[in-house]
């Protein structure tokens, strides 16, 4: 191998490593959450993964030769997250792109909880607060992000003792045999105690067949909400129409979930801002003429917000553009720092398939 080949290989390895690092840094939060102050642990660096149930159905099956039993190993309790300054959390909330209606509702909720606490401190009568919520909207509109924010807010206001977020869907709650669903659901609830249990696509629990165990999971959750009303918040989320039917299909759900937050689709300007935030985080800059091409790309792909995924769709577009940029850089004999940071019009056109390789 001659010197020229060695230089090309070194450049390709540099491009690969930088791209992987940039994508990793953006994978947890692609809505543009600002960096935390120097004396504060960034939200994405907290121990959230330990408190999230991301198991897949096949991972919940008993090991060959064993059967699941009610005798479970003691669960390690989640550590309490540090309390944050509510003013800092409100400033972070205000910095989120879009979500204006949701942000206004959250501000009102913060005010309600704050006044509730003041009345208790002054020995004045208070009414029961329902902090459980229904988040409705298409994928990629920030529902999980806002659920995490609510856990942090409730922790900062001493409503919750720990403030962790436990995220599950039907597969994390429902088992395939009689009697196992309640145990599986109770295990998830235990992990969520002191924090927020976030159930995505919750309408999937409302099974139609006689042998479906989704109702067992619902009944277990409703009981836990009643028994632990002072230290457990449940947020259910999904498509608007399906969630509306789900909540109104059960009197127990109707009585406990009376706070609805709708997450509207991002418009083109907001998605372009999200794209710019991605670039800023990854230390990328746009060459002249790139922005209108990106806007066209987003508009073209966003024909169906449900399948495009709003902010998730923007992230996918960004990654496709980086692939095109990497291919261009790998073909160059010399790659400068400026080259590594610059996205060109050709990168956008290649990503859209408008230029053949």
């Amino acid at each position: 191998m001659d010197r020229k080949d060695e230089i090309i290989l070194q450049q390709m390895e540099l491009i690969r490593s930088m791209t992987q690092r940039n994508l990793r840094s953006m994978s947890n939060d692609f809505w543009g959450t600002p960096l935390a102050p120097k004396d504060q642990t960034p939200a994405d660096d907290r121990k959230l993964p330990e408190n999230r149930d991301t198991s897949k159905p096949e991972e919940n099956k008993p090991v060959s030769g064993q059967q699941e039993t009610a005798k479970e190993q003691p669960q390690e309790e989640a550590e309490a997250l540090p309390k944050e300054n509510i003013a800092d959390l409100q400033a972070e909330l205000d910095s989120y792109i879009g979500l204006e209606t949701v942000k206004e509702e959250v501000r009102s909720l913060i005010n309600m909880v704050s006044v509730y606490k003041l009345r208790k401190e002054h020995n004045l009568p208070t009414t029961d607060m329902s902090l459980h919520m229904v988040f409705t909207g298409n994928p990629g509109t920030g529902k999980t992000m806002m659920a995490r924010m609510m856990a942090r807010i409730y922790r900062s206001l001493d409503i919750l003792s720990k403030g962790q977020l436990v995220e599950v869907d039907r597969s994390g709650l429902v088992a395939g045999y009689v009697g196992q669903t309640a145990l599986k659901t109770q295990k998830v609830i235990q992990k969520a105690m002191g924090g927020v249990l976030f159930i995505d696509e919750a309408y999937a629990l409302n099974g139609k067949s006689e042998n479906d165990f989704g109702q067992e999971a619902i009944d277990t959750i409703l009981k836990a909400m009643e028994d632990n009303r002072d230290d457990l918040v449940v947020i259910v989320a999904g498509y608007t129409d399906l969630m509306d039917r789900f909540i109104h299909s059960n009197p127990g759900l109707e009585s406990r979930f009376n706070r609805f937050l709708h997450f509207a689709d991002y418009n083109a300007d907001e998605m372009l801002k999200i794209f710019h935030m991605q670039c800023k985080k990854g230390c990328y800059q746009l060459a002249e003429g790139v922005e209108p091409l990106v806007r066209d790309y987003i508009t073209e792909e966003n024909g169906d917000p449900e399948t495009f995924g709003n902010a998730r769709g923007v992230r996918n577009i960004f990654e496709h553009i980086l692939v095109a940029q990497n291919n261009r850089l790998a073909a160059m004999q010399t790659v400068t720092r400026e080259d590594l940071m610059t996205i060109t019009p050709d990168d956008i056109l290649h990503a859209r398939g408008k230029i053949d390789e």
Side-chain angles (χ1 to χ4, degrees):
M1 180 184 297
D2 58 25
R3 180 59 179 165
K4 179 180 177 181
D5 291 335
E6 290 179 1
I7 292 174
I8 292 174
L9 287 176
Q10 289 174 357
Q11 292 174 342
M12 291 180 68
E13 177 61 23
L14 175 62
I15 294 166
R16 184 192 64 79
S17 62
M18 288 187 67
T19 300
Q20 287 183 342
R21 184 171 67 252
N22 288 336
L23 292 179
R24 281 198 303 270
S25 70
M26 293 179 290
S27 61
N28 291 331
D29 186 358
F30 45 82
W31 279 276
T33 302
L35 295 176
K38 292 182 180 179
D39 61 344
Q40 182 179 321
T41 304
D44 289 335
D45 288 339
R46 299 160 200 240
K47 297 186 177 180
L48 289 172
E50 297 177 5
N51 304 318
R52 294 176 64 182
D53 189 333
T54 56
S55 57
K56 297 178 182 178
E58 61 267 25
E59 293 172 343
N60 294 320
K61 293 181 180 178
V63 177
S64 179
Q66 299 179 355
Q67 294 293 326
E68 289 183 332
T69 66
K71 197 172 183 179
E72 298 284 348
Q73 294 294 325
Q75 291 299 306
E76 187 174 321
E77 291 190 7
E79 295 182 9
L81 296 178
K83 290 176 61 176
E84 300 175 67
N85 186 293
I86 191 65
D88 292 338
L89 289 173
Q90 288 181 307
E92 180 178 330
L93 177 69
D94 291 339
S95 74
Y96 290 156
I97 296 170
L99 305 175
E100 296 307 323
T101 301
V102 172
K103 288 190 285 191
E104 187 61 35
E105 288 288 337
V106 172
R107 291 188 202 101
S108 296
L109 185 59
I110 292 172
N111 294 337
M112 181 190 76
V113 173
S114 299
V115 172
Y116 174 88
K117 288 182 59 182
L118 288 172
R119 289 185 64 87
K120 289 191 70 174
E121 290 171 5
H122 288 82
N123 296 318
L124 292 170
T126 57
T127 57
D128 288 339
M129 286 193 305
S130 177
L131 301 178
H132 309 297
M133 289 178 281
V134 181
F135 287 180
T136 63
N138 289 326
T141 48
K143 295 187 291 295
T144 304
M145 176 190 68
M146 194 58 68
R148 185 178 298 117
M149 169 60 77
M150 295 311 307
R152 294 164 61 195
I153 289 172
Y154 288 152
R155 170 68 178 130
S156 74
L157 295 172
D158 288 320
I159 297 299
L160 294 174
S161 62
K162 296 177 181 177
Q164 79 278 20
L165 178 77
V166 176
E167 181 185 354
V168 294
D169 57 13
R170 176 189 166 93
S171 67
L173 298 170
V174 178
Y177 302 95
V178 175
Q180 290 184 334
T181 291
L183 294 174
K184 190 172 183 179
T185 302
Q186 286 168 357
K187 185 176 178 181
V188 172
I189 291 169
Q190 189 59 42
K191 290 172 63 178
M193 286 302 303
V196 171
L197 174 60
F198 179 73
I199 307 173
D200 197 17
E201 297 182 348
Y203 46 77
L205 293 173
N206 198 2
K208 302 300 181 184
S209 67
E210 293 182 3
N211 296 324
D212 185 85
F213 301 110
Q215 186 59 47
E216 186 178 353
I218 293 173
D219 293 340
T220 304
I221 292 167
L222 290 175
K223 184 176 186 306
M225 292 168 67
E226 184 65 28
D227 295 344
N228 304 281
R229 61 174 65 185
D230 294 330
D231 207 19
L232 175 68
V233 170
V234 179
I235 298 176
V236 292
Y239 291 111
T240 303
D241 292 343
L242 293 174
M243 288 304 300
D244 187 65
R245 288 200 293 270
F246 169 67
I247 295 299
H248 296 301
S249 70
N250 184 308
L253 293 172
E254 273 188 317
S255 64
R256 289 171 178 82
F257 291 99
N258 57 13
R259 189 176 298 278
F260 288 72
L261 271 68
H262 177 68
F263 290 69
D265 293 328
Y266 290 104
N267 60 39
D269 288 336
E270 290 167 344
M271 286 190 281
L272 190 59
K273 288 180 181 178
I274 293 170
F275 182 85
H276 278 294
M277 186 67 71
Q278 296 271 32
C279 292
K280 183 177 180 181
K281 281 181 157 186
C283 295
Y284 290 97
Q285 59 191 16
L286 303 184
E288 185 177 353
V290 168
E291 182 167 314
L293 291 176
V294 172
R295 179 186 286 273
D296 289 345
Y297 192 1
I298 290 173
T299 301
E300 179 181 65
E301 293 295 312
N302 192 36
D304 185 348
E306 291 186 13
T307 57
F308 179 67
N310 285 279
R312 290 193 186 113
V314 176
R315 181 185 65 181
N316 291 337
I317 282 177
F318 184 75
E319 292 179 357
H320 292 159
I321 292 171
L322 290 190
V323 170
Q325 187 220 35
N326 293 343
N327 291 336
R328 175 175 58 81
L329 295 177
M332 296 169 58
Q333 290 189 356
T334 302
V335 178
T336 66
R337 176 182 173 84
E338 189 78 8
D339 292 330
L340 292 169
M341 296 172 59
T342 303
I343 294 174
T344 69
D346 276 1
D347 296 331
I348 313 302
L349 295 175
H350 275 290
R352 295 178 66 184
K354 301 295 185 181
I355 298 179
D356 295 331
E357 297 293 339

